[in-house]
Amino acid sequence: MVEDRVRAADARPTEDELQAMARQAYAEKLAQFCDDQRAYPHHAVDHERANRTWADYYDRLVRNGGHAAMLDGEEQAWRMMGWDAQRVANLRVAIAHVEEGNPPISRRFVDHYLREFGYEPHNGLRRMVERALHPAYRDACLEAERRRRGAIEPASASPYAEPAQASATATAVDRSSADQGAYFSDFIEAAIAALVANERWDGKSGRQARSTIALFELLIGRKKLGAYHQDDLTAFMKKLRFVPKQYDMTRAESRKSILNHVAAGEAAAEKADGKPIAGERSNRTRNRHLSSLAAIVRWGITNKKGKPDITFDKQFAIVSKRKRARSERPATSKDDVAALFAMPTWTGSQPHRGGTGAAVLRARVTPGDAIVHDAFYWVPLLLYYTGARREEICKLCPGDVKLAPIPHIFIDFTDFGRIKNDQSVRPVPLHRELVRLGFLQFVEECRKRGCSPSAPMAQI
């Protein structure tokens, strides 16, 4: 397991993965730009200037390899291209804004994409992703401007109007084609971005929805939204019972395994001759898939992507109020805890300078004389002494650690991470052993380095 992590530390995204990140970024930023423009239509002049200026900015990054600062002779080249003085001035303002410490693509945004594709972020990978995102951001600005103008300048033939003159046959064919609309892949990213922007979902919900849609298309088949029927939903819910608990929709082997697993489950159910047969998925998990699918479908219907003959009413399964199986699992044994803290990370490893590179990861698990008080060292200790959830600890930032009235961490919703529910907002006292080991000094060092939600303590 450690060796797998070590190999992954030096991995680089493939071109296909970079393009997938760019497509996702395009959909998300376009949805954000269009929503902002619809929310403030009285700022039309500002929207037009921003769309065109930032399209120019990203285009120059595409052309010069991502070099943000002004290059010699660049302004002269703009004027030779026929740009007027105002366009040149606007771009100079955008460049100055970035040079003042306002990156056009946030590190948190880039790190999110890298982690979503299984890569540990570092500056080299970040630059790769940023260069891949520049054309996506440029095109999102241009498309946002095109749609803004389309919204305020009525077209000669409105896309929302029924055809005025058409034969009965032609009208029926056109309406059938329109009803079928788009494939999920055409609008899934825009739908997720909109639901997250409206605070109906968080990032985790979006990732789960993306996986649910991929699973739905795998089990039922890839069709346009309007071509799906109630029978498709019924079949999906039946097949979902037999999907294995662990799978990865991004891997061909895993998708093949899912289909084999489902086929075996359906065969066993058929042999049971009508007798009840238990599937592997819990009702709670099946309801989560159904909720994700319903939200994406409803967004598609609302946004004219197609209208399937599907209703989700009365499809949700009853969830037992008894404790879930995972809640009834025994706590980690003392022997396992002792084995964890007997590893070289806490007893002494090979010297290293910190970070997550392959050499560092090997050093962390190789016995030696060095004990480095970093996130690898502190996170398991915090889990042990606080009893907090893993996600709550890994998203901590220096500002979440308080000294008064006693040293404690304050767990709350933040820009960097979520917590389970409102009841999970709470202060958690720091055990005196954590203080003795120097956790507060570690936090102070993180504070001096300027750690923020885009560079949390767990990433130092």
Side-chain angles (χ1 to χ4, degrees):
M1 182 175 179
V2 172
E3 286 302 314
D4 290 343
R5 178 72 183 276
V6 169
R7 286 192 293 271
D10 288 337
R12 295 160 62 91
T14 65
E15 182 60 23
D16 287 344
E17 289 174 326
L18 289 171
Q19 291 304 314
M21 295 180 197
R23 287 192 295 271
Q24 185 173 336
Y26 171 83
E28 291 178 1
K29 299 309 293 184
L30 177 59
Q32 176 189 332
F33 295 156
C34 291
D35 185 58
D36 289 344
Q37 291 170 180
R38 284 190 290 266
Y40 302 99
H42 47 291
H43 293 166
V45 174
D46 294 334
H47 291 318
E48 180 179 7
R49 181 171 60 248
N51 289 336
R52 296 187 181 280
T53 299
W54 287 105
D56 285 341
Y57 179 83
Y58 292 118
D59 187 61
R60 67 178 289 273
L61 293 183
V62 172
R63 295 174 184 277
N64 67 24
H67 193 89
M70 285 280 291
L71 302 175
D72 293 339
E74 193 170 5
E75 184 171 337
Q76 181 180 1
W78 299 340
R79 295 186 183 280
M80 291 178 64
M81 292 164 56
W83 291 19
D84 58 33
Q86 186 60 58
R87 186 175 181 180
V88 171
N90 290 342
L91 184 51
R92 290 187 64 88
V93 169
I95 294 172
H97 178 74
V98 173
E99 290 180 332
E100 288 171 1
N102 303 287
I105 304 177
S106 73
R107 172 173 289 190
R108 181 165 66 94
F109 198 68
V110 173
D111 287 358
H112 162 75
Y113 283 127
L114 282 168
R115 291 195 177 96
E116 191 170 77
F117 280 79
Y119 297 96
E120 184 61 29
H122 59 72
N123 287 340
L125 295 186
R126 291 184 181 111
R127 286 191 290 270
M128 284 184 65
V129 174
E130 287 173 358
R131 285 191 289 269
L133 296 187
H134 291 153
Y137 273 51
R138 174 200 62 197
D139 293 350
C141 292
L142 293 172
E143 179 63 14
E145 176 59 19
R146 188 189 70 79
R147 297 191 182 189
R148 185 194 68 81
R149 297 196 67 83
I152 61 177
E153 298 175 2
S156 57
S158 171
Y160 302 103
E162 291 290 339
Q165 300 288 336
S167 67
T169 302
T171 301
V173 171
D174 291 345
R175 186 173 292 115
S176 175
S177 176
D179 285 345
Q180 290 194 2
Y183 293 104
F184 279 118
S185 57
D186 295 333
F187 64 87
I188 177 67
E189 299 304 336
I192 292 173
L195 291 167
V196 171
N198 292 336
E199 299 186 353
R200 291 184 56 189
W201 280 358
D202 56 19
K204 181 178 180 181
S205 300
R207 291 191 295 273
Q208 290 175 338
R210 192 178 294 111
S211 177
T212 295
I213 294 301
L215 184 62
F216 181 80
E217 290 188 324
L218 176 69
L219 297 179
I220 303 303
R222 186 172 184 267
K223 299 187 287 187
K224 291 188 175 181
L225 180 60
Y228 288 111
H229 299 279
Q230 194 69 31
D231 290 345
D232 294 321
L233 179 61
T234 301
F236 176 64
M237 299 309 295
K238 288 181 178 179
K239 292 175 181 291
L240 197 57
R241 296 172 56 201
F242 306 109
V243 172
K245 292 183 179 180
Q246 300 293 331
Y247 61 88
D248 180 358
M249 289 302 300
T250 65
R251 298 172 57 241
E253 314 91 84
S254 182
R255 295 194 295 272
K256 183 177 179 181
S257 176
I258 292 171
L259 293 174
N260 292 338
H261 218 87
V262 170
E266 290 180 322
E270 188 174 343
K271 288 181 180 179
D273 196 22
K275 297 178 182 178
I277 180 171
E280 295 192 25
R281 311 301 287 178
S282 69
N283 283 348
R284 184 176 277 104
T285 301
R286 294 171 66 212
N287 284 351
R288 175 175 61 76
H289 281 293
L290 188 60
S291 294
S292 297
L293 181 62
I296 296 297
V297 167
R298 287 166 182 158
W299 189 93
I301 294 172
T302 301
N303 290 272
K304 314 294 184 185
K305 304 300 181 182
K307 189 173 182 181
D309 183 17
I310 292 178
T311 59
F312 292 90
D313 297 339
K314 300 180 181 180
Q315 294 295 320
F316 291 88
I318 297 175
V319 177
S320 171
K321 293 185 179 180
R322 68 178 178 83
K323 289 186 177 180
R324 290 183 284 181
R326 74 178 186 185
S327 300
E328 296 175 342
R329 290 198 298 260
T332 305
S333 69
K334 291 183 179 180
D335 290 342
D336 287 342
V337 173
L340 170 66
F341 289 115
M343 291 180 66
T345 302
W346 295 275
T347 60
S349 63
Q350 291 293 319
H352 55 80
R353 298 180 179 178
T356 57
V360 171
L361 290 172
R362 291 191 185 96
R364 292 182 188 280
V365 296
T366 303
D369 299 326
I371 297 180
V372 180
H373 291 68
D374 58 4
F376 283 82
Y377 176 90
W378 287 116
V379 167
L381 287 171
L382 285 164
L383 292 171
Y384 178 79
Y385 280 110
T386 65
R389 300 179 180 94
R390 178 183 57 195
E391 293 83 357
E392 295 172 339
I393 294 299
C394 289
K395 77 180 190 68
L396 287 175
C397 296
D400 299 325
V401 181
K402 315 292 183 182
L403 299 180
I406 61 172
H408 67 279
I409 58 176
F410 193 79
I411 296 173
D412 199 354
F413 294 93
T414 66
D415 291 338
F416 185 76
R418 65 193 292 271
I419 58 178
K420 188 171 184 180
N421 48 44
D422 291 339
Q423 291 71 39
S424 297
V425 177
R426 66 198 188 279
V428 179
L430 288 173
H431 194 280
R432 60 179 176 272
E433 182 66 8
L434 293 170
V435 177
R436 185 189 72 80
L437 290 172
F439 179 65
L440 296 181
Q441 288 84 347
F442 170 71
V443 173
E444 181 59 29
E445 181 63 25
C446 290
R447 187 175 286 112
K448 288 179 181 178
R449 295 188 190 186
C451 295
S452 68
S454 62
M457 292 190 298
Q459 308 302 317
I460 295 298

